[in-house]
Amino acid sequence: GEEAAPASIIGIVLSEAFKGGWIVIAASIGALGSFFSGSTTVSNLTFGSVQEIAAETIGVNVNAMLALQAVGASAGNGICLNNIISACTVTGLVIGEGKIIAKTAKFVLAFIVIATLIMLAFLFGEA
């Protein structure tokens, strides 16, 4: 059944462990997916159902959690090796990928932090 699906198991177990803290790591999960896969779409397909289940488990708006997933996945492209290698090849830039990641990671992190803060204000701020 659906309860035995890997996304359900991961979503339920991790969200029960992190509780409301899941919101803080949600965008980072999306970024991690893009880092490994090289694609926002693949990250969203891989982790979207986990985020949905986590949101339902901790009682947070599902659309808000999926938005954090998408934002994180988009930001994660800035540290994705596939994209960095492709960009270096196309532009003829000869520099180590680690040096590029070191420069782009701070912007990716800032983007994730800002998006998370905005979402926290949206979810828990006074109307």
Side-chain angles (χ1 to χ4, degrees), residues 2 17 28 34 36 47 50 69-71 74 89 115:
E2 285 185 30
S28 296
S34 290
F36 284 118
F47 293 115
V50 172
Q69 163 64 35
V71 166
S74 296
T89 302

Side-chain angles (χ1 to χ4, degrees), residues 2-120:
E2 285 185 30
E3 292 81 28
S8 293
I9 295 168
I10 293 168
I12 291 169
V13 169
L14 290 180
S15 63
E16 286 178 350
F18 283 97
K19 307 230 182 292
W22 182 268
I23 299 165
V24 176
I25 66 166
S28 296
I29 301 277
L32 184 67
S34 290
F35 171 77
F36 284 118
S37 70
S39 167
T40 299
T41 303
V42 172
S43 178
N44 290 338
L45 288 171
T46 303
F47 293 115
S49 55
V50 172
Q51 300 278 18
E52 178 182 10
I53 291 162
E56 291 169 350
T57 302
I58 62 174
V60 174
N61 184 293
V62 172
N63 292 329
M65 194 65 71
L66 293 175
L68 278 175
Q69 163 64 35
V71 166
S74 296
N77 280 307
I79 54 172
C80 170
L81 286 174
N82 299 347
N83 296 337
I84 291 170
I85 293 169
S86 297
C88 288
T89 302
V90 169
T91 61
L93 184 63
V94 181
I95 186 172
E97 292 84 12
K99 289 183 180 181
I100 295 174
I101 290 175
K103 290 181 184 248
T104 59
K106 57 187 162 198
F107 296 104
V108 171
L109 181 62
F111 191 66
I112 288 172
V113 168
I114 291 168
T116 302
L117 290 173
I118 290 170
M119 191 57 70
L120 286 169

